[in-house]
Amino acid sequence: MYFFKFFFLAVAALYFSLVQAAPTPFENSKTSELDSRAIPAGFSRVSPSNRRLFQLNGKTQYFAGTNAWWLGHLKSNQDVDLAVDQIAATGYKVVRAWGFGTTNDESNEYDVYYQVLNSSGQYFNYNPTNGIARLDYAIAAAQKKGIQLILPLLNNFDALGGINTYTNAYGGDHNSFYTNTRAQTAYRNYIRFIVNRYKSSPAIFSWELCNEPRCSGCSSSIITKWASDTSAYIKSLDPNHMVSLGDEGWLTSTSASTVQNYEQSYAYTGYEGVDFQKNLAIPTLDYGTVHMYFDQWGYNYTWGSTWIAQHNAIGKALNKPVLLEEYAVPEGMDRIATAGPWQDTVLRRTSVAGDMMWQFGTKFPSGALPLDNYA
């Protein structure tokens, strides 16, 4: 089974590496500050010659990537080195790994964590065995292999310390987090800690505000304002790296006239408080992210190509890159047969800038088991 997974990932990466970007005229004359000025050598950016794609290592191109959320949460250097070596050998250029790790009670924490939030204050964990040194090592290992990382700075969900750790410390509930002054102050403290630590590194592809932010039942204006304010704050700290929201790409009636096959079902109702089109229009967000779990959301797998094409249409309308950042095939289904049409849609029917499957899997020397059934 491991060989099959690795072979499938390698084929997907090779397929992407062979497709080069065809130059196209700008759809409008607007360019972001990051597009128009010089950036440090080795940093990635939105391509100045085709603003629907990225420029990696000075080359405008599509890319294949993967998710390895666990990379900075492995305690063993040997585990990190093996994973990075295999990812590089597969041909992946960009990897998404968690840049967050928060606990409210370090006395009961046995995993890696980067900060503590509780009634006594906010503290960063500098312990070399289970603190920020683990992320330091992962970023350094990636840089040696020419791999760039997308680092989400917060989790919508409880795993590894998400929004819940902020509300546990500062009050309120999940949905009030986005407007809770004390929680937002602590979150910005963490942003400053991480961004300032790594902003000179070419191993960072982009900063991400949150893994799959949601505000269920809220007006989408809440997350849009939060995303606008927070992304502007990150840009004030680090104008050289890109910033994205990290959302799943939920659509609302805003997009009804932009996309084909718009429908009134879960992914289009705005129930999760996210409006992809309005968020992508934020000047300090460089590109849009799309996630896709048809089995969890109640759709047939064939709908996946529609979902991809719809976000491509929005990216085209706003002249910004769109990245298929997470997608997966459930265990028991033929992964090549199921995902193949989606990848064909990305490569041949759209100008989607890249494709990142969830998630990369391997066997770790330490025996660590951070993988799920999608690996």
Side-chain angles (χ1 to χ4, degrees), residues 209-223:
L209 305 192
C210 184
N211 172 54
E212 300 184 345
R214 296 180 180 183
C215 189
S216 302
C218 302
S219 165
S220 63
S221 63
I222 292 175
I223 283 184

Side-chain angles (χ1 to χ4, degrees), residues 103-313:
T103 184
N104 298 122
D105 183 6
E106 70 273 29
S107 66
N108 290 321
E109 189 61 62
Y110 300 99
D111 295 322
V112 172
Y113 63 95
Y114 307 141
Q115 74 164 339
V116 180
L117 297 175
N118 56 35
S119 58
S120 62
Q122 179 178 21
Y123 309 96
F124 303 125
N125 181 14
Y126 292 96
N127 186 311
T129 62
N130 69 344
I132 194 62
R134 300 314 307 149
L135 187 57
D136 291 346
Y137 189 88
I139 291 173
Q143 183 170 339
K144 289 178 183 178
K145 292 293 183 178
I147 293 169
Q148 294 187 324
L149 303 178
I150 296 173
L151 291 185
L153 301 171
L154 178 69
N155 196 10
N156 178 71
F157 307 102
D158 292 355
L160 300 176
I163 286 175
N164 65 304
T165 57
Y166 287 85
T167 57
N168 289 344
Y170 303 110
D173 58 18
H174 179 282
N175 286 0
S176 68
F177 162 80
Y178 300 99
T179 55
N180 182 318
T181 301
R182 294 179 67 204
Q184 290 304 307
T185 297
Y187 174 52
R188 288 198 178 193
N189 289 342
Y190 184 71
I191 289 174
R192 186 168 61 250
F193 169 62
I194 294 292
V195 171
N196 283 342
R197 192 174 186 87
Y198 304 120
K199 67 182 180 182
S200 298
S201 173
I204 303 301
F205 180 83
S206 67
W207 309 112
E208 199 162 87
L209 305 192
C210 184
N211 172 54
E212 300 184 345
R214 296 180 180 183
C215 189
S216 302
C218 302
S219 165
S220 63
S221 63
I222 292 175
I223 283 184
T224 297
K225 183 180 187 308
W226 174 79
S228 180
D229 293 345
T230 307
S231 58
Y233 177 67
I234 294 176
K235 289 289 190 180
S236 75
L237 299 173
D238 177 12
N240 292 322
H241 283 107
M242 294 182 288
V243 179
S244 66
L245 177 53
D247 59 308
E248 293 147 291
W250 303 115
L251 300 183
T252 72
S253 58
T254 300
S255 302
S257 61
T258 307
V259 306
Q260 295 182 353
N261 300 309
Y262 180 86
E263 59 179 86
Q264 286 293 335
S265 62
Y266 171 59
Y268 303 85
T269 62
Y271 173 76
E272 300 297 355
V274 175
D275 186 323
F276 176 83
Q277 184 159 333
K278 287 185 177 179
N279 294 336
L280 187 58
I282 295 171
T284 44
L285 290 179
D286 294 287
Y287 64 92
T289 59
V290 183
H291 297 187
M292 186 170 67
Y293 292 92
F294 70 90
D295 55 318
Q296 296 181 23
W297 300 350
Y299 294 90
N300 186 281
Y301 79 92
T302 57
W303 168 82
S305 289
T306 298
W307 186 242
I308 294 166
Q310 289 171 332
H311 290 82
N312 175 69

